[in-house]
Structures are given as C-alpha cells and as structure tokens.
Amino acid sequence: MTVTTPDTAATVEFRGLRREFGPTVALDGLDLTARPGELLALLGPSGCGKTTALRMLAGFEHPDSGEVLVDGEDVTRVPAHRRDAGMVFQSYSLFPHLDALDNVAFGLRMRKVRTAGRRTRAAELLELVGLADKGRSFPHQLSGGQQQRVALARALALRPRVLLLDEPLSALDAKVRLTLREEIRRLQQELGITTLFVTHDQEEALSMADQVAVMHAGRLEQCAAPAELYGRPATAFVAEFVGTMSRIPGRLVEGGVEVLGQRLPIDGQAPEVSATSEVDVLVRPEAVGVRAEDAGSARVVATAFLGAAVRVTVRLADGTEAKADLPTHEAAALVAGAAVSVSLPQRPVLVAERTR
Amino acid sequence: MARLTLWRWGVLGLAGLYFLVPLAASVVFTVDVPGQGIDLDAYTQIFSTGGFTSSLLLSLELAAATIALVLLLMVPAMVALRLGAPRLRPVVEVVCSLPLVVPPIAFVAGIGTVLKWGPEHLSRTPLFQTFVAIQNPDFPFVLVLAYVVMALPFVYRALDAGLRSVDVRTLVEAARSCGAGWPQALVRAVLPNLRGALLNASFLTLALVLGEFTVAQLLGFQPFAVWIVNISGSQAQLSVAVSVLSLLVTWVLLLTLAGFGGRTRTTSRG
C-alpha cells in the first residue's frame, strides 16, 4: 500500500497560551510540547481548557496571548485552512451530502487534485481504515464507528503534519470505542504522525497515549508517560483524577509519615505544612490491605464486585472512607458491617496537604 | 386501530371535498355553456386577450429576482447569525416577522409616500434617476424590494428550520480543516445541506409573488394577479377560467421547482 508517512513528523509547542471567555478563564498560561511522532493525550475534567487548546492548534480559536508553534514555526496567525492539521471531531462531522469516498476526497478537491488522483488516494485511505467497501455509502447509511473511521481517513487525506482528535470516541458505544481506539493507535504508530488527542476518559488516555497531559482549570498539572502519571502523580489533583485514590489521615514525623499505626517513608517532596503536622496520605485501592479481624477498628461499608477483584469500601475509626481492591476469593468474608483492620505495604507513600 | 383509520379517511375526504368541490364547480362553470354542452371558448379567449403573456412573464421575472435577492440577503446573514452571534437570533426573528404584522395596505401606503416624496426632494441629485429607474413599468424593481420584505417571514422560517437540522459550525470547521477557505466552506459544505430549506424558501416566495395583488395594484403595475382582476370585470366566465388557469400555472411551477430540486436530492439524516 502506498499510504505515506509524513516525511518528518512535526513538533508541536504551546507557549504561554491564555484565553478568556468573558469571566471564565479557559486557558491560564498553558505550556506544553508534543514530540515528533508521539501521541499526546490532553486529559482533564470538562471545562479544563483541553478542547480550547486543541482548537487553537487547529486555528478555530485564537489565544489572547501566547503562541502555537509547529516545528518551531509560529502558526498563531495562520488561518485554519492553511494549518496543515487534520481533525476528527466529537460529533459526527461528515458532509451529509457526500458519500464516504467524496468525504475523504473533499480536502484533495479543495487542493485542486485531479479527479482520478483524488479517487485513488481516497480509496487507499478508506482501505487503511478498513472501509474499502463502503466508498459509495452516505454518512446516514454508516454506523457511528464507521463514520468516525471515515472522518479519520478524511483527516489524513491531506497528509497533515499534525492529527487532532477531539474526543472522537465519546459518542460511540463501549465496544466500538474499544476497537476503534486500538485502531487509531495502530494507524498513528504506522504513520508516525504527531497526534493530539483530547479526552476526559482517563482509561482512554492511559491506554493509548505516549504522553498524557493532565489539565486543570486552564493549566497543565503534569505531563508524563501513563505509568509515571499513575505511579508518581506530581500533584494531588493528578493523583485523584487519574485512577482511584483514597485519602487517609496521617501525621508527619521525623523521616516519614505515621499512618494507620505504621511509619512509612514519603515518596517525593513532603508538603509544607503550617503549624500542625496533619496530612493526608494518598493510596491506590490495590495498595490497601484489608483483613477481617474481630478486634479491628474499621468497618466495611460496601463491596462492589468487579470481576477478578472486589472493591471494598471501609470506614476507618475516625470516619474517613478508604477503598481497597481485593482478590475475589479473599473478599468473600467481607460483608457490609464486618470489623476489619486496614494496613499499607511498607513502601514510600504520597502525601498531600489535609483538605478537610 | 380500524376506527382510527376510518377517522383519518373521513377527515381526508372532508378536506378533499372542501377544496375540490369549489374547484370542480369553477371548471364546470367555465366549460359548460347552458344548452350548448361543453365549450372551451373561455380558455382560448384568455390567450387572445391582450396582456396575458406579458403580465405572466412580468410576474415570473419579479419572482425570480425576488428569490435571488432574498436568498442572497438571508442565507449569509443566517449562517453568520448561527456561527457568530446566536444571541441575536430572537432579534432577527422578530424583525423578519414584522411584515406579517404590518398589513400590506399600510406597507404600500408607506412605499407610495416615499416614491412621491423622493423625486420632489431629490430632483437635483443623481438619486432622482434611481427613483425613476426602480419604477420602470417594464420591470418595476420597487416591487422586488417590496416582495423581498414581504417574503422575509417565510424565508426566515424555512432557512431556520433547515439550519436547525445541520450542525453548521462543525460542518464549516470540518471543511476548514480540510483546507477550504470561508467561501468554499459555505458553498461546498453548508449550502448543499440546506438544499431542502432553500427550495422551501423559493417555493414560498414564488407563491407569494405570483399571488400578490395589493402592492402591485396600488403602485400601478400590472403583474399576473392584477391582470386577472382587471379582466374579470368584463366577463364572468373568462375571469373564472383565468383563475383556474393561474392555479394550474402555479402548481406546474411549484412541481417543476420540486422536480428540479428533488432529482439528485439525498435524504440527509443520521
């Protein structure tokens, strides 16, 4: 197949992007870099500015200040249709009056490519996304997943330097979402195209991306590889947004933190705590050990069956709740109301300022 | 279920009678000469009566010009409204609905006043010529202007319904990210999906212009509707024949427009 990879993948850089919509600050000085050929996921709750950032790269929004650079070249003032960026939208965005083939060929038509040439190229791209036989179907005859595939082919038709995906899977049902995200990832790696992927689904971001940028209130919280993001979150926000995190009250002591009657070392920098040494220890459910024990001070509040594991919610003696994932066979005895003891493994833990 | 179907047929039958009986009566009246049987004289007479062709042509020209002008005015305006200033929509809606509230008689009185006032006060300026030109009896452009205003409520509604059914912003952005400039995005991505709405707007405007009497009559021009009324005074049979014919002409035109638009039309849902 003659589908090309771009000659050289592009570097994308946001520098100090700032944008206000009336009283809301959508972007508050965003600095972020995507390396050539990598898939960078922008992850965050709705309203964190991730879509605004993507639309600025596409040229649909303009920053109040700051710059967007592609391969070191400032494109902030370049109009959208000269940006050389292919985009897949959240809503179905195919042109309803054109069939799949003509949708894919639309950009080539705008570039005045001859009919024969653009037909060939469009057919190749449809084959690439696995829809070679659907060229003559109109968008309303295609399923949601197929429409997004065609949209992907359309975005790739002009051999863009950057591929932009704005929550392309969020309108699809769970199963299609799963296969399509694998396919997007495969294509992206095959073509080696620098890709920005906006999503609010952390599982999607962690499973697909090379780098995940977690955004919050218009700012970048952390940009790191998925494993690092999960294992060593830089801020409390990242810790709680990515994956599940429980806060267990602890107390800073010399050389560590005292929590649940154990003394554990601190992972990274301990927060500066004023006056008291009260802190919260952040723990993942898979790190929390729960054991049935009649003398235990904690009580099981609820259990939820997850398949291989059971998520047990326990209330500690002081009233805080923590979540623990236990293998299903171990959790059999833990019914709501059972007395248990809770422990943490002897490993460095993350510590955050007490919020309550 | 069966009862419901019966009801439906009943209502349809009644409605049909309501429309068809007067129509049939008109046709019978025009062809039936008492004591002599069927006679198509009334219809052949129409074509020999002076002014038929010229007035019909004038009406068609006025309709074409009105459709072109009102669409050129409203389509970019409404797309811009959707994309740039959605909050202004109620304002535009009210403005476009005003012609429904103002009776044509008041409207034409206003136009008449301006047409009289203009030449008196502007006789020394080039605008004088403009006033003369727009009242050219061969093609009274002032009627086009009046009809554009009168067609606004219908065109607004037709286009608004069309724009509601497509996601204009996404279509434009998708086209722009495919390398289309603004004009191309509008023409290639948005307009084809408004085909139905554009046709509806054209239909309504055509019907309006073909049937409009008040403004044309009071300003002293003679398009089709005025001509029908003028000749109807002299011969009862002829005037009814003309009415039947005008109905047919309108139908044929609307069907032509529908056929023209529907030929390559694809339903765009999903």
Side-chain angles (χ1 to χ4, degrees), chain B residues 208-250:
Chain B
L208 175 98
V209 174
L210 283 184
E212 208 290 325
F213 172 75
T214 320
V215 175
Q217 162 73 13
L218 292 183
L219 290 182
F221 301 108
Q222 201 179 52
F224 197 48
V226 176
W227 179 78
I228 291 177
V229 174
N230 283 350
I231 65 153
S232 67
S234 46
Q235 281 172 292
Q237 225 178 14
L238 181 67
S239 83
V240 176
V242 166
S243 303
V244 171
L245 191 73
S246 83
L247 203 64
L248 286 179
V249 167
T250 314

Short mmCIF file of all heavy atoms in Angstrom, two decimals, chain B residues 208-250:
data_model
loop_
_atom_site.label_atom_id
_atom_site.label_comp_id
_atom_site.label_asym_id
_atom_site.label_seq_id
_atom_site.Cartn_x
_atom_site.Cartn_y
_atom_site.Cartn_z
N LEU B 208 -45.89 33.54 -3.16
CA LEU B 208 -46.24 34.88 -2.69
C LEU B 208 -46.26 35.88 -3.83
O LEU B 208 -47.22 36.64 -4.00
CB LEU B 208 -45.21 35.32 -1.64
CG LEU B 208 -45.37 36.74 -1.13
CD1 LEU B 208 -46.13 36.72 0.18
CD2 LEU B 208 -44.04 37.44 -0.94
N VAL B 209 -45.21 35.87 -4.65
CA VAL B 209 -45.10 36.87 -5.71
C VAL B 209 -46.17 36.65 -6.78
O VAL B 209 -46.79 37.59 -7.26
CB VAL B 209 -43.69 36.84 -6.34
CG1 VAL B 209 -43.63 37.78 -7.53
CG2 VAL B 209 -42.66 37.22 -5.31
N LEU B 210 -46.45 35.39 -7.13
CA LEU B 210 -47.45 35.13 -8.16
C LEU B 210 -48.84 35.59 -7.73
O LEU B 210 -49.65 35.99 -8.55
CB LEU B 210 -47.48 33.64 -8.51
CG LEU B 210 -46.35 33.14 -9.41
CD1 LEU B 210 -46.56 31.69 -9.75
CD2 LEU B 210 -46.24 33.97 -10.67
N GLY B 211 -49.10 35.50 -6.44
CA GLY B 211 -50.45 35.83 -5.99
C GLY B 211 -50.60 37.24 -5.44
O GLY B 211 -51.70 37.63 -5.07
N GLU B 212 -49.52 37.99 -5.37
CA GLU B 212 -49.58 39.29 -4.71
C GLU B 212 -50.37 40.29 -5.56
O GLU B 212 -50.10 40.47 -6.73
CB GLU B 212 -48.16 39.81 -4.47
CG GLU B 212 -48.05 40.72 -3.29
CD GLU B 212 -48.70 42.06 -3.52
OE1 GLU B 212 -48.65 42.56 -4.66
OE2 GLU B 212 -49.30 42.60 -2.57
N PHE B 213 -51.33 40.95 -4.91
CA PHE B 213 -52.17 41.88 -5.65
C PHE B 213 -52.07 43.31 -5.11
O PHE B 213 -51.84 44.25 -5.87
CB PHE B 213 -53.62 41.40 -5.57
CG PHE B 213 -54.60 42.37 -6.13
CD1 PHE B 213 -54.73 42.54 -7.51
CD2 PHE B 213 -55.39 43.16 -5.29
CE1 PHE B 213 -55.64 43.46 -8.03
CE2 PHE B 213 -56.28 44.08 -5.81
CZ PHE B 213 -56.41 44.22 -7.18
N THR B 214 -52.20 43.45 -3.80
CA THR B 214 -52.37 44.77 -3.21
C THR B 214 -51.27 45.75 -3.60
O THR B 214 -51.55 46.84 -4.13
CB THR B 214 -52.39 44.65 -1.66
OG1 THR B 214 -53.14 43.50 -1.32
CG2 THR B 214 -52.97 45.88 -1.03
N VAL B 215 -50.04 45.37 -3.33
CA VAL B 215 -48.94 46.30 -3.55
C VAL B 215 -48.83 46.67 -5.03
O VAL B 215 -48.76 47.85 -5.39
CB VAL B 215 -47.61 45.69 -3.04
CG1 VAL B 215 -46.44 46.59 -3.39
CG2 VAL B 215 -47.67 45.45 -1.55
N ALA B 216 -48.88 45.65 -5.89
CA ALA B 216 -48.73 45.90 -7.32
C ALA B 216 -49.84 46.80 -7.83
O ALA B 216 -49.60 47.77 -8.57
CB ALA B 216 -48.72 44.58 -8.07
N GLN B 217 -51.05 46.51 -7.43
CA GLN B 217 -52.20 47.29 -7.91
C GLN B 217 -52.09 48.73 -7.44
O GLN B 217 -52.25 49.67 -8.23
CB GLN B 217 -53.49 46.63 -7.37
CG GLN B 217 -54.72 47.51 -7.40
CD GLN B 217 -55.25 47.68 -8.83
OE1 GLN B 217 -54.83 46.95 -9.75
NE2 GLN B 217 -56.13 48.64 -9.02
N LEU B 218 -51.81 48.93 -6.17
CA LEU B 218 -51.81 50.29 -5.64
C LEU B 218 -50.63 51.11 -6.15
O LEU B 218 -50.69 52.33 -6.20
CB LEU B 218 -51.81 50.27 -4.10
CG LEU B 218 -53.14 49.73 -3.52
CD1 LEU B 218 -53.13 49.80 -2.02
CD2 LEU B 218 -54.33 50.51 -4.08
N LEU B 219 -49.55 50.43 -6.53
CA LEU B 219 -48.43 51.19 -7.10
C LEU B 219 -48.59 51.34 -8.61
O LEU B 219 -47.78 51.98 -9.26
CB LEU B 219 -47.10 50.49 -6.79
CG LEU B 219 -46.66 50.53 -5.32
CD1 LEU B 219 -45.31 49.85 -5.16
CD2 LEU B 219 -46.58 51.97 -4.81
N GLY B 220 -49.64 50.72 -9.16
CA GLY B 220 -49.96 50.93 -10.56
C GLY B 220 -49.19 50.08 -11.55
O GLY B 220 -48.95 50.49 -12.68
N PHE B 221 -48.78 48.89 -11.14
CA PHE B 221 -48.13 47.99 -12.09
C PHE B 221 -49.08 46.85 -12.42
O PHE B 221 -50.10 46.68 -11.74
CB PHE B 221 -46.82 47.46 -11.52
CG PHE B 221 -45.86 48.56 -11.19
CD1 PHE B 221 -45.59 48.90 -9.87
CD2 PHE B 221 -45.25 49.29 -12.21
CE1 PHE B 221 -44.72 49.94 -9.59
CE2 PHE B 221 -44.38 50.32 -11.91
CZ PHE B 221 -44.12 50.65 -10.59
N GLN B 222 -48.75 46.09 -13.47
CA GLN B 222 -49.68 45.05 -13.85
C GLN B 222 -49.05 43.67 -14.03
O GLN B 222 -48.91 43.17 -15.14
CB GLN B 222 -50.41 45.42 -15.14
CG GLN B 222 -51.70 44.64 -15.25
CD GLN B 222 -52.48 44.98 -16.50
OE1 GLN B 222 -51.95 44.93 -17.59
NE2 GLN B 222 -53.73 45.30 -16.31
N PRO B 223 -48.68 43.05 -12.89
CA PRO B 223 -48.28 41.65 -12.98
C PRO B 223 -49.53 40.76 -13.08
O PRO B 223 -50.66 41.27 -13.13
CB PRO B 223 -47.51 41.40 -11.70
CG PRO B 223 -47.97 42.44 -10.76
CD PRO B 223 -48.47 43.60 -11.56
N PHE B 224 -49.34 39.46 -13.06
CA PHE B 224 -50.40 38.50 -13.36
C PHE B 224 -51.65 38.68 -12.50
O PHE B 224 -52.77 38.74 -13.02
CB PHE B 224 -49.83 37.09 -13.18
CG PHE B 224 -50.64 36.02 -13.84
CD1 PHE B 224 -51.06 36.18 -15.15
CD2 PHE B 224 -50.95 34.86 -13.16
CE1 PHE B 224 -51.81 35.18 -15.77
CE2 PHE B 224 -51.69 33.86 -13.77
CZ PHE B 224 -52.12 34.02 -15.08
N ALA B 225 -51.48 38.78 -11.20
CA ALA B 225 -52.63 38.85 -10.30
C ALA B 225 -53.48 40.08 -10.61
O ALA B 225 -54.71 40.03 -10.63
CB ALA B 225 -52.16 38.88 -8.86
N VAL B 226 -52.82 41.20 -10.89
CA VAL B 226 -53.54 42.43 -11.19
C VAL B 226 -54.29 42.28 -12.52
O VAL B 226 -55.45 42.68 -12.66
CB VAL B 226 -52.57 43.62 -11.24
CG1 VAL B 226 -53.29 44.89 -11.66
CG2 VAL B 226 -51.88 43.78 -9.90
N TRP B 227 -53.61 41.65 -13.46
CA TRP B 227 -54.23 41.45 -14.78
C TRP B 227 -55.50 40.61 -14.66
O TRP B 227 -56.54 40.93 -15.24
CB TRP B 227 -53.22 40.77 -15.70
CG TRP B 227 -53.75 40.50 -17.07
CD1 TRP B 227 -53.89 41.39 -18.10
CD2 TRP B 227 -54.23 39.24 -17.56
NE1 TRP B 227 -54.42 40.78 -19.19
CE2 TRP B 227 -54.63 39.45 -18.90
CE3 TRP B 227 -54.35 37.97 -17.01
CZ2 TRP B 227 -55.16 38.43 -19.68
CZ3 TRP B 227 -54.86 36.96 -17.79
CH2 TRP B 227 -55.26 37.19 -19.12
N ILE B 228 -55.44 39.55 -13.86
CA ILE B 228 -56.62 38.70 -13.68
C ILE B 228 -57.80 39.52 -13.18
O ILE B 228 -58.91 39.45 -13.72
CB ILE B 228 -56.33 37.56 -12.66
CG1 ILE B 228 -55.35 36.57 -13.26
CG2 ILE B 228 -57.61 36.84 -12.28
CD1 ILE B 228 -54.96 35.47 -12.29
N VAL B 229 -57.55 40.32 -12.17
CA VAL B 229 -58.63 41.10 -11.58
C VAL B 229 -59.15 42.11 -12.61
O VAL B 229 -60.37 42.33 -12.73
CB VAL B 229 -58.15 41.80 -10.30
CG1 VAL B 229 -59.22 42.73 -9.77
CG2 VAL B 229 -57.77 40.77 -9.27
N ASN B 230 -58.24 42.69 -13.36
CA ASN B 230 -58.65 43.71 -14.33
C ASN B 230 -59.59 43.15 -15.39
O ASN B 230 -60.55 43.81 -15.78
CB ASN B 230 -57.42 44.34 -14.99
CG ASN B 230 -56.75 45.33 -14.06
OD1 ASN B 230 -57.32 45.66 -13.01
ND2 ASN B 230 -55.57 45.79 -14.42
N ILE B 231 -59.27 41.96 -15.90
CA ILE B 231 -60.13 41.46 -16.98
C ILE B 231 -61.39 40.79 -16.45
O ILE B 231 -62.33 40.56 -17.19
CB ILE B 231 -59.39 40.46 -17.90
CG1 ILE B 231 -59.01 39.20 -17.14
CG2 ILE B 231 -58.23 41.10 -18.61
CD1 ILE B 231 -58.91 38.02 -18.07
N SER B 232 -61.38 40.49 -15.15
CA SER B 232 -62.52 39.74 -14.64
C SER B 232 -63.77 40.60 -14.59
O SER B 232 -64.88 40.08 -14.60
CB SER B 232 -62.21 39.20 -13.25
OG SER B 232 -62.10 40.27 -12.35
N GLY B 233 -63.59 41.91 -14.58
CA GLY B 233 -64.76 42.78 -14.53
C GLY B 233 -65.65 42.59 -15.74
O GLY B 233 -66.88 42.60 -15.64
N SER B 234 -65.03 42.36 -16.90
CA SER B 234 -65.82 42.35 -18.13
C SER B 234 -66.56 41.05 -18.36
O SER B 234 -67.73 41.04 -18.71
CB SER B 234 -64.89 42.66 -19.31
OG SER B 234 -63.72 41.87 -19.19
N GLN B 235 -65.92 39.91 -18.13
CA GLN B 235 -66.57 38.64 -18.45
C GLN B 235 -66.44 37.65 -17.31
O GLN B 235 -65.33 37.26 -16.94
CB GLN B 235 -65.93 38.02 -19.69
CG GLN B 235 -66.42 38.64 -20.97
CD GLN B 235 -65.60 38.13 -22.12
OE1 GLN B 235 -64.42 38.42 -22.22
NE2 GLN B 235 -66.22 37.34 -22.97
N ALA B 236 -67.55 37.25 -16.78
CA ALA B 236 -67.54 36.35 -15.62
C ALA B 236 -66.87 35.02 -15.96
O ALA B 236 -65.97 34.57 -15.25
CB ALA B 236 -68.95 36.10 -15.15
N GLN B 237 -67.27 34.43 -17.07
CA GLN B 237 -66.74 33.11 -17.42
C GLN B 237 -65.23 33.17 -17.65
O GLN B 237 -64.47 32.34 -17.18
CB GLN B 237 -67.42 32.60 -18.69
CG GLN B 237 -67.82 31.15 -18.56
CD GLN B 237 -68.54 30.64 -19.78
OE1 GLN B 237 -68.54 31.28 -20.85
NE2 GLN B 237 -69.16 29.50 -19.64
N LEU B 238 -64.81 34.20 -18.35
CA LEU B 238 -63.38 34.37 -18.64
C LEU B 238 -62.58 34.51 -17.36
O LEU B 238 -61.52 33.90 -17.19
CB LEU B 238 -63.18 35.60 -19.53
CG LEU B 238 -61.74 35.87 -19.93
CD1 LEU B 238 -61.22 34.77 -20.84
CD2 LEU B 238 -61.62 37.22 -20.62
N SER B 239 -63.10 35.31 -16.42
CA SER B 239 -62.33 35.57 -15.20
C SER B 239 -62.16 34.30 -14.39
O SER B 239 -61.08 34.04 -13.84
CB SER B 239 -63.00 36.66 -14.37
OG SER B 239 -64.02 36.10 -13.59
N VAL B 240 -63.21 33.48 -14.33
CA VAL B 240 -63.07 32.23 -13.58
C VAL B 240 -62.08 31.31 -14.29
O VAL B 240 -61.25 30.66 -13.66
CB VAL B 240 -64.44 31.54 -13.40
CG1 VAL B 240 -64.26 30.19 -12.72
CG2 VAL B 240 -65.36 32.42 -12.59
N ALA B 241 -62.16 31.29 -15.63
CA ALA B 241 -61.22 30.47 -16.39
C ALA B 241 -59.79 30.88 -16.09
O ALA B 241 -58.89 30.04 -15.92
CB ALA B 241 -61.51 30.60 -17.89
N VAL B 242 -59.57 32.20 -16.00
CA VAL B 242 -58.22 32.70 -15.71
C VAL B 242 -57.78 32.25 -14.31
O VAL B 242 -56.63 31.85 -14.12
CB VAL B 242 -58.19 34.23 -15.84
CG1 VAL B 242 -56.93 34.78 -15.23
CG2 VAL B 242 -58.29 34.62 -17.30
N SER B 243 -58.71 32.29 -13.37
CA SER B 243 -58.35 31.86 -12.01
C SER B 243 -57.93 30.39 -12.01
O SER B 243 -56.93 30.02 -11.41
CB SER B 243 -59.53 32.03 -11.05
OG SER B 243 -59.95 33.36 -11.07
N VAL B 244 -58.71 29.57 -12.69
CA VAL B 244 -58.37 28.14 -12.76
C VAL B 244 -57.01 27.98 -13.41
O VAL B 244 -56.14 27.24 -12.92
CB VAL B 244 -59.45 27.37 -13.55
CG1 VAL B 244 -58.99 25.95 -13.83
CG2 VAL B 244 -60.77 27.39 -12.81
N LEU B 245 -56.82 28.75 -14.48
CA LEU B 245 -55.54 28.64 -15.19
C LEU B 245 -54.38 29.07 -14.30
O LEU B 245 -53.33 28.43 -14.26
CB LEU B 245 -55.59 29.50 -16.45
CG LEU B 245 -54.42 29.26 -17.38
CD1 LEU B 245 -54.57 27.92 -18.09
CD2 LEU B 245 -54.31 30.37 -18.41
N SER B 246 -54.58 30.16 -13.55
CA SER B 246 -53.48 30.66 -12.71
C SER B 246 -53.12 29.64 -11.64
O SER B 246 -51.96 29.44 -11.29
CB SER B 246 -53.85 32.00 -12.09
OG SER B 246 -54.62 31.81 -10.94
N LEU B 247 -54.17 28.96 -11.15
CA LEU B 247 -53.93 27.91 -10.17
C LEU B 247 -53.05 26.81 -10.79
O LEU B 247 -52.07 26.36 -10.19
CB LEU B 247 -55.28 27.31 -9.76
CG LEU B 247 -55.33 26.62 -8.41
CD1 LEU B 247 -55.07 27.60 -7.30
CD2 LEU B 247 -56.70 25.96 -8.22
N LEU B 248 -53.42 26.43 -12.01
CA LEU B 248 -52.65 25.39 -12.69
C LEU B 248 -51.22 25.85 -12.93
O LEU B 248 -50.27 25.09 -12.72
CB LEU B 248 -53.33 25.04 -14.03
CG LEU B 248 -54.60 24.21 -13.91
CD1 LEU B 248 -55.20 23.95 -15.29
CD2 LEU B 248 -54.30 22.89 -13.21
N VAL B 249 -51.08 27.11 -13.37
CA VAL B 249 -49.73 27.63 -13.65
C VAL B 249 -48.87 27.55 -12.39
O VAL B 249 -47.73 27.07 -12.39
CB VAL B 249 -49.81 29.08 -14.17
CG1 VAL B 249 -48.43 29.73 -14.15
CG2 VAL B 249 -50.40 29.10 -15.56
N THR B 250 -49.45 28.00 -11.27
CA THR B 250 -48.70 27.97 -10.02
C THR B 250 -48.30 26.54 -9.66
O THR B 250 -47.16 26.27 -9.29
CB THR B 250 -49.54 28.57 -8.88
OG1 THR B 250 -50.12 29.78 -9.34
CG2 THR B 250 -48.70 28.84 -7.66
#
